Amino acid sequence: MASASGIESVKGKQPLFSFGVISDVQYADIPDGRSFLGTPRYYRHSIHVLNRAVQNWNNHQKLKFVLSFGDIVDGFCPKDQSLSSVKKVVSEFDKFNGLVYHMIGNHCLYNLPRKELLPLLKISKLDGGLAYYDFSPTPNFRFVVLDGYDISVIGWPQDHPNSMEALQILSQRNPNADKNSPSGLIGLERRYLMFNGGVGKEQLKWLDGVLQEATHLKQKVIVCSHLPLDPGATSFEALLWNYDEVMNLIHNYNCVKVCLAGHDHKGGYTIDSHGIHHRVLEAALECPPGSDAFGHIDVYNDGLYLIATDRMSSSRMPFDSDRTCDSENGCITDPLTSTL
């Protein structure tokens, strides 16, 4: 694990602020299992990873807040334990001595509908069950949290317009009887699976307004989503359905510097053609006993620096510097400065 002091000696200055990160805890009081690809999953151990993360964050003493990137409980959690399991994980997060910002993931919505889940996660934008919001920890930075399951068959009532729109998308894009199967789908089309979702028109309109305001205020923006927004940072099966539409909107502005996500448990990283960093965080769920996956991010005027533990990789995400861009090759970061 890289040390904060190591970063400070490289930069020669203290960060503006720091915040904790963790993704895909997916706790359940059930025996260990495996993913559909055969990757081991440690359902009971994951809450111990979270417990150690909270202790680490509290020991840091200077973290401004924590971001949880969704899927705090697993879909295999027995349904009669869903409510108590969500409350148990939330209570662990509540032991952090500061604010915790949650976003919803597919596994959260397998367990509880939005109307029950969002109040438990203290997501304040409750009008109509919406789960996207923004906040500014300092005047010069804004965080935008997207709801990647805005258009989804998970979490909404079956007759809800967002659910019906999602069913139509899946029926057009995925011919399989099992809509969680990518069988026969080629390339980027493999993202049209039931455990993914999309950002709806109203949310896109809201995002456009937020980015306009951030530009006016000269704020740097960090976009956060459970679902990844760039195919270079994730498997195609984990992408937001309309990632291209969202990124086309984001690329209209220069204020967005980094997109952070979860969902794809192995993690990932890329820089897109407009110089935006995309970092997908490794899952706490897949940590064998005695190992961890969490970290904190130091924020400077000229970059973000993820200082991570064990199975989560540390990384540097400089803004505009240490990078060359052209129309043919996109943006390339010096590999010597991209990792700690």
Side-chain angles (χ1 to χ4, degrees):
M1 179 179 117
S3 67
S5 60
I7 292 288
E8 290 158 9
S9 64
V10 171
K11 297 301 295 181
K13 57 186 176 181
Q14 295 289 326
L16 300 173
F17 64 93
S18 304
F19 62 95
V21 292
I22 194 168
S23 189
D24 297 85
V25 174
Q26 289 183 223
Y27 166 74
D29 187 12
I30 57 174
D32 296 341
R34 292 181 179 271
S35 72
F36 66 96
L37 294 175
T39 305
R41 292 183 165 181
Y42 304 92
Y43 299 108
R44 290 184 175 127
H45 177 252
S46 65
I47 201 164
H48 298 295
V49 177
L50 174 58
N51 178 266
R52 290 191 291 270
V54 172
Q55 290 181 39
N56 179 283
W57 297 329
N58 283 336
N59 288 339
H60 187 281
Q61 296 184 337
K62 292 183 180 180
L63 298 187
K64 207 168 185 68
F65 57 90
V66 161
L67 277 171
S68 168
F69 282 80
D71 280 0
I72 63 171
V73 289
D74 193 82
F76 284 128
C77 177
K79 293 301 170 277
D80 61 349
Q81 297 177 24
S82 289
L83 181 59
S84 61
S85 294
V86 170
K87 287 182 175 179
K88 181 175 181 177
V89 179
V90 169
S91 70
E92 285 296 320
F93 276 107
D94 286 345
K95 293 175 184 176
F96 171 64
N97 298 328
L99 294 172
V100 178
Y101 294 98
H102 289 277
M103 56 202 83
I104 57 174
N106 52 307
H107 284 267
C108 303
L109 295 171
Y110 295 150
N111 280 273
L112 294 175
R114 284 170 176 262
K115 64 180 181 180
E116 293 183 48
L117 181 65
L118 299 191
L120 292 171
L121 299 181
K122 302 179 181 68
I123 295 177
S124 59
K125 192 177 177 65
L126 298 176
D127 299 342
L130 305 178
Y132 52 87
Y133 58 95
D134 66 300
F135 63 95
S136 293
T138 64
N140 294 330
F141 278 85
R142 181 175 297 207
F143 286 72
V144 173
V145 177
L146 298 180
D147 179 355
Y149 293 90
D150 184 8
I151 305 302
S152 172
V153 297
I154 313 167
W156 298 109
Q158 287 186 351
D159 59 351
H160 193 282
N162 293 15
S163 180
M164 295 174 71
E165 182 179 346
L167 281 171
Q168 184 177 15
I169 290 170
L170 285 173
S171 66
Q172 292 173 348
R173 297 287 193 164
N174 188 334
N176 297 308
D178 177 5
K179 300 302 182 186
N180 273 330
S181 170
S183 178
L185 300 179
I186 299 172
L188 289 168
E189 292 296 302
R190 295 174 70 84
R191 70 188 187 274
Y192 289 107
L193 303 173
M194 194 167 65
F195 57 69
N196 297 328
V199 168
K201 290 181 175 58
E202 286 301 312
Q203 187 176 173
L204 285 169
K205 182 179 177 181
W206 167 83
L207 176 61
D208 191 32
V210 169
L211 297 182
Q212 284 184 36
E213 184 178 51
T215 299
H216 176 72
L217 296 173
K218 295 182 169 56
Q219 293 175 320
K220 296 179 176 71
V221 177
I222 314 302
V223 174
C224 305
S225 170
H226 179 67
L227 290 162
L229 301 176
D230 190 286
T234 184
S235 63
F236 295 161
E237 292 87 350
L239 276 169
L240 184 83
W241 286 345
N242 60 333
Y243 79 91
D244 47 351
E245 188 176 15
V246 172
M247 289 310 304
N248 284 340
L249 171 58
I250 287 173
H251 288 156
N252 287 332
Y253 299 90
N254 293 321
C255 56
V256 177
K257 303 301 180 184
V258 176
C259 294
L260 301 173
H263 193 51
D264 192 351
H265 293 186
K266 69 181 182 297
Y269 172 74
T270 194
I271 304 175
D272 71 22
S273 60
H274 287 64
I276 297 174
H277 298 264
H278 294 260
R279 179 68 169 89
V280 179
L281 301 175
E282 293 84 352
L285 172 67
E286 295 182 0
C287 294
S291 64
D292 289 313
F294 60 84
H296 74 269
I297 292 179
D298 289 338
V299 179
Y300 297 86
N301 274 322
D302 58 355
L304 298 189
Y305 303 87
L306 169 60
I307 298 150
T309 61
D310 204 359
R311 294 174 65 86
M312 182 179 287
S313 298
S314 297
S315 54
R316 294 181 66 185
M317 292 167 273
F319 304 156
D320 302 325
S321 62
D322 300 321
R323 187 167 65 222
T324 56
C325 303
D326 60 54
S327 58
E328 182 177 349
N329 299 312
C331 296
I332 303 170
T333 293
D334 182 345
L336 294 177
T337 63
S338 64
T339 57
L340 297 172

